[in-house]
Amino acid sequence: MGSLFRSEEMTLCQLFLQSEAAYACVSELGELGLVQFRDLNPDVNAFQRKFVNEVRRCDEMERKLRYLEKEIKKDGIPMLDTGESPEAPQPREMIDLEATFEKLENELREVNQNAEALKRNFLELTELKHILRKTQVFFDEQEGGMHTTESMTRALITDESRTGKAMGPVQLGFLEKSQEPEEYLPCFVAGVILRERLPAFERMLWRACRGNVFLRQAMIESPLEDPSNGDKVYKSVFIIFFQGDQLKTRVKKICEGFRATLYPCPEAPTDRREMAMGVMTRIEDLNTVLGQTQDHRHRVLVAAAKNLKNWFVKVRKIKAIYHTLNLFNLDVTQKCLIAECWVPLLDMETIQIALRRGTERSGSSVPPILNRMETFEDPPTYNRTNKFTNAFQALINAYGVASYREMNPAPYTIITFPFLFAVMFGDLGHGAIMALFGLWMVLKEKPLAAKKTDNEIWNIFFGGRYIIFLMGVFSMYTGFVYNDIFSKSLNVFGSSWSINYNTSTVMTNKALQLNPGSNDYSGTPYPIGVDPVWQVSDNKIIFLNAYKMKISIIFGVIHMLFGVFVGLFNHRYFKNKMAIYCEFIPQVIFLVFLFFYMTLLMFIKWTKYSADNENKNLSAGCAPSILITFINMVLFKPPQKGLCNPYMFGGQAGLQKFLVVIALLCVPWMLLAKPLMIMRSRKQAAHQPIAPYSNENGDADGGLNQHNNVQADGTQQAGGAAAGGGGGGHGHENEEMSEIFIHQGIHTIEYVLGSVSHTASYLRLWALSLAHAQLAEVLWNMVLKNGLQQGGWIGGIALWIIFAVWAVLTVGILVLMEGLSAFLHTLRLHWVEFQSKFYAGLGYAFQPFSFEMILESSSNSSED
């Protein structure tokens, strides 16, 4: 938990591994997840690294597994997921895995090809079956006299393009076969076509053949399965009658262009019946073979589904290990791998144990070597979190990762974030809904996490389940203080106000006043929160406005002042005395002497003035305005004297002038003190004599070490004369003085103006709280109140409907939309108003080599 307040101490280490033991050692470090490796080959192409072939083999295995996964999902077969993560297999096991995947892929592809061929054959036989059935109807439509083919080839030829009149039925010129050459004998073709292509197909036939064809078609009622993709398609049977080989060639080309499938169809009824019987027999045989093929495919996929998750984990671990090994360097003997890595200082022993365990697994006799290195590079930031603190840490990291060893705002945010949210969202009922939703996600954490849905909104809610739960609990508390539950009040302790009017006065007057100075008020305030009598008062908004506005300013000033004091811990840790004297002290004085003094006036006003005070100057009517008092104080303007005393206590005028003068003096203090001290320390360093070379204590740098002390954790701390001046040179050794003046001026202006604007920014606590309460009241009066006013059985039914509408609007608008609005405003108050007082956020996150993180990101990407 200590690293939550300040990031872990990190150290840069150099790791020497024997080539035979490197794989097993990296595997152990991946299970541990505490080492961040650096790329020692930044200029080497990815395809020229040592283990690129192994990575390619892993990619190929992963491709085969994805193919198996797709086929398994297509059949709806559940994949076994035990939740366990198998260890990374040894390199020699890769050959067995490759052989297994190759065998499964080839077997499955062969089964799929056979099944597709069988389904295509089945489709053709099914279409032929429908053609034989439908064409039998076409041929049987004409009864008696005329030859069947001749009767079906009689057409209506319309010459509307020329005359606009329809001509009568005309014989297509069929004569006896003995009287006509072969090329003029009547013929027909039959086939099937997609139903949506049929109208265009019919028009094309008519235009291309100039009306010398006769088309009959009938729909196939049941859908047919496309063997290539398994989609259901709807088709129609058609038969085309025409005369001559020329039309035959033209018709076949049109059919080919519209991708219609042609089938042989005998003209004689007996031949058609015999063919139909043969087709049915073949369809039955194909059904049997298809069933056996599907059973075999299903067995193969079921067997693969049992191990697929584990196979994915093994392959991804192997691939991650070889990717990491590609970051290493080889020594000159080609027998040792050299790596550089960032590790937490507290986990050095754990990492050493993992390396020894990996060496033993590999059977190597050469132990690994882990040496600490000194560096001027900034280490990564590593804050240990658990499932509760992780969500709050994510909020901070979204703004910026903390600089190394900088104070972490996350532990304070755990309390201040839900509290400031609750100030805006204070409602006992709405807070209970939010708290119950968060509690449900917390209690059902494991089954909900196991579902691994790809719904982004749900994943955001589930990731912040503890934040939602705390926001709901805190909102219930503030709602109890506001005495607000779905815009109504709870009279738990009994009101401190009483009505002393008689019945007739109350019934005949719509608006009556209760005087706090008379017997209407008992003199004992409501034990906790707001008295429920304010719920029915007409000046409720005026009273709550003044109350919530003042507490918003109070919370804001305390929050900002706390942020400034957190910055003090940063200055003390980094031993930056100059920042304490030149920044922290004037910042605190400026904030306390102006804005904290304003909050003290609020408490003085609350405690000193009351409506039942016998002293007229201390009555409620004589209480001065805090805002006017503060404005007059800053402008050195004396207040207007009237019947009431404009000052709250003796000596207030002189004290206020003193506070403003000191606060104004803090501005040049913040602006000039630090640059001038840096100039002074640089001049002193320039006039110091060069120390003679001395190597008595084994110090090769001699006197130079008086100025630069490199810490073991990799940070550089100013020393010597600069440290004697309070750390004057820290962070500014190579910066021009003009840049230092400009930089300090920007920070001074930002803090002075920010103190004013940030204090006003906390008024959003009051504004959103008032808006939320008014929206709840409007929703109650406009919706649910109408349902409660109706009686009888009709009123009961109406109440059910109106309550459902009210509940949906309450959850959708007041809980979700208003909750999101309050969440975003709270986030802004922490990012800007609070963290700007001490948080730089210029670091980079510690990203260790961790199998858990790699597998999680891989599963998320595969689901997307």
Side-chain angles (χ1 to χ4, degrees), residues 659-722:
L659 295 178
V660 174
V661 169
I662 298 300
L664 292 178
L665 289 176
C666 289
V667 177
W669 186 356
M670 288 185 283
L671 180 64
L672 301 174
K674 186 175 181 178
L676 292 178
M677 290 186 69
I678 293 175
M679 289 178 62
R680 179 187 172 189
S681 63
R682 287 186 177 181
K683 288 181 180 179
Q684 290 179 353
H687 288 86
Q688 280 186 354
I690 299 176
Y693 176 81
S694 175
N695 199 20
E696 296 178 0
N697 298 323
D699 185 4
D701 294 332
L704 294 179
N705 279 339
Q706 296 178 4
H707 299 284
N708 294 299
N709 299 322
V710 180
Q711 298 177 347
D713 58 4
T715 59
Q716 185 178 5
Q717 178 65 43

Side-chain angles (χ1 to χ4, degrees), residues 623-645:
S625 170
I626 301 296
L627 181 61
I628 299 301
T629 301
F630 184 73
I631 293 174
N632 291 335
M633 166 186 167
V634 175
L635 298 178
F636 295 99
K637 181 180 178 182
Q640 296 180 356
K641 294 185 178 180
L643 299 177
C644 299
N645 186 1

Side-chain angles (χ1 to χ4, degrees), residues 446-463:
K446 289 185 178 179
L448 291 175
K451 292 183 179 179
K452 294 182 180 178
T453 177
D454 56 351
N455 189 312
E456 188 175 354
I457 296 177
W458 166 255
N459 289 334
I460 292 174
F461 281 151
F462 184 71

Side-chain angles (χ1 to χ4, degrees), residues 19-150:
S19 298
E20 292 78 6
Y23 182 93
C25 290
V26 172
S27 174
E28 291 292 335
L29 295 178
E31 299 289 350
L32 200 61
L34 289 173
V35 177
Q36 176 178 333
F37 291 100
R38 302 172 66 186
D39 189 2
L40 300 183
N41 308 298
D43 300 327
V44 179
N45 191 290
F47 300 101
Q48 296 175 343
R49 302 202 178 192
K50 179 175 177 56
F51 301 99
V52 64
N53 291 328
E54 285 79 0
V55 173
R56 286 175 175 172
R57 290 167 62 189
C58 292
D59 287 334
E60 181 64 17
M61 287 192 290
E62 202 168 5
R63 182 196 62 77
K64 294 174 182 177
L65 288 177
R66 283 196 299 269
Y67 172 71
L68 291 174
E69 184 182 32
K70 184 184 71 172
E71 295 297 321
I72 289 171
K73 288 182 178 179
K74 185 188 295 184
D75 280 22
I77 300 173
M79 288 179 284
L80 181 63
D81 188 3
T82 60
E84 299 177 356
S85 178
E87 292 184 355
Q90 294 299 318
R92 59 180 175 272
E93 297 180 32
M94 280 184 65
I95 301 174
D96 298 334
L97 289 176
E98 286 177 316
T100 303
F101 301 157
E102 183 74 20
K103 179 182 175 183
L104 282 173
E105 184 191 28
N106 292 338
E107 185 175 4
L108 193 57
R109 287 192 183 277
E110 184 179 356
V111 171
N112 287 343
Q113 289 173 2
N114 293 337
E116 184 177 349
L118 291 172
K119 287 180 180 179
R120 195 172 300 279
N121 197 358
F122 180 79
L123 176 65
E124 293 173 354
L125 291 174
T126 305
E127 291 176 348
L128 181 56
K129 178 187 70 173
H130 287 289
I131 285 176
L132 294 174
R133 288 180 180 178
K134 299 296 182 182
T135 53
Q136 183 64 37
V137 177
F138 297 156
F139 287 124
D140 291 345
E141 283 181 352
Q142 184 72 25
E143 295 180 358
M146 195 180 299
H147 187 273
T148 306
T149 307
E150 184 180 348

Side-chain angles (χ1 to χ4, degrees), residues 416-697:
T416 59
F417 191 92
F419 178 74
L420 293 181
F421 172 87
V423 172
M424 293 182 275
F425 195 75
D427 190 289
L428 187 60
H430 301 153
I433 295 174
M434 185 174 291
L436 289 174
F437 176 62
L439 182 62
W440 172 75
M441 288 192 292
V442 170
L443 296 178
K444 298 289 184 180
E445 181 177 317
K446 289 185 178 179
L448 291 175
K451 292 183 179 179
K452 294 182 180 178
T453 177
D454 56 351
N455 189 312
E456 188 175 354
I457 296 177
W458 166 255
N459 289 334
I460 292 174
F461 281 151
F462 184 71
R465 56 193 177 277
Y466 290 100
I467 298 179
I468 294 174
F469 174 68
L470 284 183
M471 290 192 305
V473 171
F474 276 69
S475 297
M476 292 174 65
Y477 166 73
T478 54
F480 186 73
V481 171
Y482 294 159
N483 206 347
D484 202 352
I485 174 171
F486 296 120
S487 79
K488 299 287 122 181
S489 291
L490 295 174
N491 193 357
V492 180
F493 304 102
S495 177
S496 299
W497 296 78
S498 60
I499 299 176
N500 296 318
Y501 297 103
N502 55 36
T503 305
S504 61
T505 304
V506 173
M507 299 303 293
T508 56
N509 292 275
K510 292 184 178 181
L512 294 173
Q513 290 187 350
L514 300 181
N515 186 3
S518 64
N519 294 329
D520 295 339
Y521 181 59
S522 64
T524 303
Y526 198 67
I528 180 171
V530 178
D531 196 297
V533 74
W534 289 104
Q535 183 63 34
V536 295
S537 64
D538 289 340
N539 60 338
K540 170 188 173 183
I541 296 180
I542 299 174
F543 167 74
L544 290 179
N545 262 352
Y547 166 68
K548 293 182 179 180
M549 187 187 301
K550 288 182 175 63
I551 64 171
S552 299
I553 296 297
I554 292 171
F555 290 150
V557 172
I558 294 175
H559 199 212
M560 291 189 297
L561 198 58
F562 175 66
V564 175
F565 274 97
V566 172
L568 173 64
F569 292 99
N570 278 333
H571 302 326
R572 293 185 60 187
Y573 177 82
F574 293 114
K575 299 178 182 178
N576 194 353
K577 295 182 180 179
M578 180 181 295
I580 297 176
Y581 298 136
C582 302
E583 292 179 358
F584 169 73
I585 294 177
Q587 286 176 357
V588 170
I589 292 175
F590 184 84
L591 196 60
V592 170
F593 280 20
L594 292 181
F595 299 99
F596 189 73
Y597 172 73
M598 180 174 63
T599 63
L600 291 179
L601 292 180
M602 297 177 188
F603 285 100
I604 294 173
K605 181 178 179 180
W606 281 340
T607 56
K608 191 171 184 179
Y609 297 88
S610 62
D612 56 352
N613 200 313
E614 296 179 357
N615 188 347
K616 183 179 179 182
N617 285 327
L618 300 179
S619 63
C622 284
S625 170
I626 301 296
L627 181 61
I628 299 301
T629 301
F630 184 73
I631 293 174
N632 291 335
M633 166 186 167
V634 175
L635 298 178
F636 295 99
K637 181 180 178 182
Q640 296 180 356
K641 294 185 178 180
L643 299 177
C644 299
N645 186 1
Y647 295 108
M648 298 184 184
F649 55 88
Q652 181 179 355
L655 176 63
Q656 290 182 167
K657 291 180 181 178
F658 171 76
L659 295 178
V660 174
V661 169
I662 298 300
L664 292 178
L665 289 176
C666 289
V667 177
W669 186 356
M670 288 185 283
L671 180 64
L672 301 174
K674 186 175 181 178
L676 292 178
M677 290 186 69
I678 293 175
M679 289 178 62
R680 179 187 172 189
S681 63
R682 287 186 177 181
K683 288 181 180 179
Q684 290 179 353
H687 288 86
Q688 280 186 354
I690 299 176
Y693 176 81
S694 175
N695 199 20
E696 296 178 0
N697 298 323

Side-chain angles (χ1 to χ4, degrees), residues 131 134-136 138-139 152 187-192 201 205 213-218 236-242 265-266 272:
I131 285 176
K134 299 296 182 182
T135 53
Q136 183 64 37
F138 297 156
F139 287 124
M152 293 305 297
C187 55
F188 64 92
V189 293
V192 294
F201 177 66
L205 277 174
V213 295
F214 181 66
L215 171 70
R216 294 297 303 272
Q217 56 90 14
S236 294
V237 172
F238 66 87
I239 185 169
I240 307 171
F241 296 92
F242 51 86
C265 180
R272 286 197 299 272

Side-chain angles (χ1 to χ4, degrees), residues 175-186 243-245:
L175 301 174
E176 295 294 334
K177 292 183 180 180
S178 59
Q179 300 175 341
E180 192 70 21
E182 178 114 8
E183 60 269 16
Y184 293 105
L185 291 179
Q243 183 180 15
D245 290 339

